Amino acid sequence: MAKRDYYEVLGVGKSASADEIKKAFRKAAVKFHPDRPEGDEEKFKEINEAYEVLKDEGKRQRYDQFGHAGVGSSAASSGGDPFSGFGGFGGQPGGVHVDFGDIGMGDIFESFFGGGFGGQRQKKADRGRDVETSTTLDFEEAVFGVERKITLELKDLCPHCKGNKAEPGYELKKCPTCDGSGQEVRVTRTVFGNIQQATVCRTCGGEGVRPEKNCTVCGGLGVTRQKKDINLKIPSGINDGATIRLQGYGETSAKGIPGDLYVNIRVKSHKKFTREGDLILSDETISMVEAALGTEIKVDTVDGPVSLDIPAGTQGGSDFKLSGHGVPHLKRKTRGDHIVRIIVETPKKLSRKQKQLLEEFAKESGKKPFWK
């Protein structure tokens, strides 16, 4: 569905002042705030998006000139999950998404009583630890995507005992403390009487078995720290501050269940370009003569130099759009635009001839002599 005009969204005219825009936003935001009975979350988001553009002088100027294409995609600032569905490692499961956890009533009961009702212990998966790391990208790598090798030292199954915890050639025997149940039953006297409580066996950790002889490599832990190389595919258009979650690439427990790996993305600033969503912005300086007569300049883009025609009479601060030279969209096979702002340079020193020519130009323009 096509986006509505931002001025229409806020109910103001295109000539509205900054103060009028702010008042219109506050009135509409209060009316449609999701916490109100008559609130509308979608309209509230639309109002906020419109205000974010129109309150900024530079964005508003580009919007007036180019429409929605001049301010880029709002997806980057909408708080959504633009990376959902991207595979993290080549050919492997695991995408980038938000995980809100899985806390349930069983966890609450286990916290207080060490198990479920009737002394039956609720077994939880012996999962490996989640790991967090970061990687830094150049500006162009974030725009076009890149494959990056990450080397980490992580706990993985012991190569000697394969996670069995026992020295090869030795067996696992029933735990003498819990008699193979994995639980110890304790009786606690309270004002309400004796309470029977099942807890994890302190000797075997709930497994019910112990090695006849601990593995000589891992010491009976079942895991050792090992260096692992991971090839990470970073999608084009990723933002600075994004986090990629990769399921199953964290540390591994002795039971072979791995945790997840979280990679925080940092993007270096560029000496010439800045980014707003799917837009790339840059400045180009021309002389006042070029601005008056028109010229053709070469503009640096992430795709290389591109020719740009500057029409006669161009004013300083004018914006020009290079379509399709911005940041690729994460979910579509299209790209944003590159916006070039023109800066007109006034010479600080003039030769005698240049001064005479400008004086003649001023006279031809009907200007009275005002120069010294």
Side-chain angles (χ1 to χ4, degrees):
M1 186 174 67
K3 286 187 178 181
R4 293 170 61 201
D5 178 79
Y6 286 152
Y7 293 101
E8 179 186 339
V9 170
L10 295 181
V12 296
K14 290 192 174 182
S15 59
S17 66
D19 190 52
E20 288 172 331
I21 289 174
K22 183 186 292 186
K23 288 180 180 178
F25 165 71
R26 288 177 176 173
K27 182 179 179 181
V30 169
K31 180 179 179 181
F32 293 108
H33 194 282
D35 290 343
R36 294 177 63 87
E38 66 274 23
D40 188 315
E41 185 175 356
E42 291 305 315
K43 284 188 178 180
F44 183 77
K45 288 180 179 178
E46 185 182 42
I47 291 164
N48 189 63
E49 180 181 323
Y51 181 62
E52 286 299 314
V53 171
L54 297 184
K55 76 175 182 179
D56 185 287
E57 185 177 345
K59 290 181 181 179
R60 182 178 178 181
Q61 179 181 326
R62 295 200 304 273
Y63 178 72
D64 289 343
Q65 187 173 358
F66 303 117
H68 292 292
V71 291
S73 170
S74 62
S77 58
S78 64
D81 179 23
F83 302 111
S84 178
F86 274 101
F89 300 112
Q92 300 296 330
V96 186
H97 56 279
V98 180
D99 185 5
F100 292 99
D102 57 352
I103 298 175
M105 290 300 293
D107 299 311
I108 297 172
F109 282 117
E110 187 163 8
S111 297
F112 283 99
F113 302 110
F117 297 109
Q120 294 297 317
R121 177 177 172 268
Q122 291 190 340
K123 293 187 177 180
K124 297 180 70 176
D126 185 9
R127 185 174 175 272
R129 186 176 68 93
D130 290 340
V131 177
E132 184 176 10
T133 188
S134 63
T135 188
T136 302
L137 311 179
D138 291 331
F139 188 89
E140 289 83 354
E141 290 176 327
V143 170
F144 295 113
V146 68
E147 188 167 330
R148 180 66 55 82
K149 184 172 79 171
I150 298 176
T151 301
L152 299 171
E153 194 172 273
L154 304 172
K155 287 182 180 179
D156 204 349
L157 288 180
C158 173
H160 189 60
C161 68
K162 312 300 182 188
N164 191 40
K165 301 184 180 182
E167 180 69 16
Y170 290 83
E171 296 181 353
L172 294 173
K173 296 290 187 178
K174 184 188 294 185
C175 175
T177 303
C178 64
D179 196 31
S181 69
Q183 300 179 56
E184 292 184 72
V185 178
R186 298 177 184 176
V187 177
T188 304
R189 290 183 178 181
T190 72
V191 293
F192 302 106
N194 293 339
I195 296 179
Q196 184 172 283
Q197 184 180 15
T199 61
V200 177
C201 175
R202 61 184 181 278
T203 302
C204 66
E207 295 185 10
V209 292
R210 291 290 295 166
E212 279 186 311
K213 180 182 178 182
N214 284 342
C215 171
T216 54
V217 173
C218 67
L221 298 175
V223 293
T224 58
R225 299 198 71 84
Q226 302 170 37
K227 187 175 288 187
K228 299 180 73 173
D229 291 332
I230 303 166
N231 289 321
L232 173 65
K233 287 186 176 180
I234 299 173
S236 58
I238 197 165
N239 286 296
D240 177 48
T243 298
I244 299 178
R245 176 193 177 202
L246 298 124
Q247 293 174 293
Y249 286 89
E251 292 192 335
T252 302
S253 69
K255 291 185 177 181
I257 304 173
D260 298 334
L261 174 64
Y262 292 84
V263 183
N264 299 318
I265 303 298
R266 298 289 177 263
V267 181
K268 295 179 184 177
S269 59
H270 195 279
K271 62 181 181 180
K272 190 174 181 68
F273 306 139
T274 56
R275 177 179 171 183
E276 285 185 8
D278 59 10
L279 290 180
I280 293 178
L281 313 176
S282 67
D283 295 338
E284 293 292 338
T285 301
I286 61 175
S287 69
M288 63 179 190
V289 176
E290 290 175 313
L293 301 179
T295 186
E296 181 180 317
I297 62 174
K298 290 289 186 182
V299 176
D300 290 330
T301 73
V302 290
D303 302 302
V306 173
S307 294
L308 176 63
D309 289 325
I310 306 296
T314 292
Q315 302 298 304
S318 297
D319 290 320
F320 293 87
K321 181 173 68 174
L322 298 173
S323 299
H325 288 284
V327 179
H329 297 123
L330 286 164
K331 295 183 179 180
R332 306 192 302 273
K333 293 182 178 179
T334 56
R335 292 175 62 178
D337 303 321
H338 184 141
I339 305 295
V340 181
R341 184 180 67 164
I342 297 300
I343 298 173
V344 178
E345 185 177 51
T346 302
K348 295 180 180 179
K349 291 184 179 181
L350 296 171
S351 68
R352 180 177 297 179
K353 180 65 174 177
Q354 288 172 329
K355 187 177 180 181
Q356 289 175 348
L357 290 172
L358 286 176
E359 288 174 354
E360 290 178 13
F361 175 79
K363 290 177 181 177
E364 285 292 324
S365 301
K367 300 290 185 181
K368 294 181 179 180
F370 52 84
W371 50 87
K372 295 182 180 179

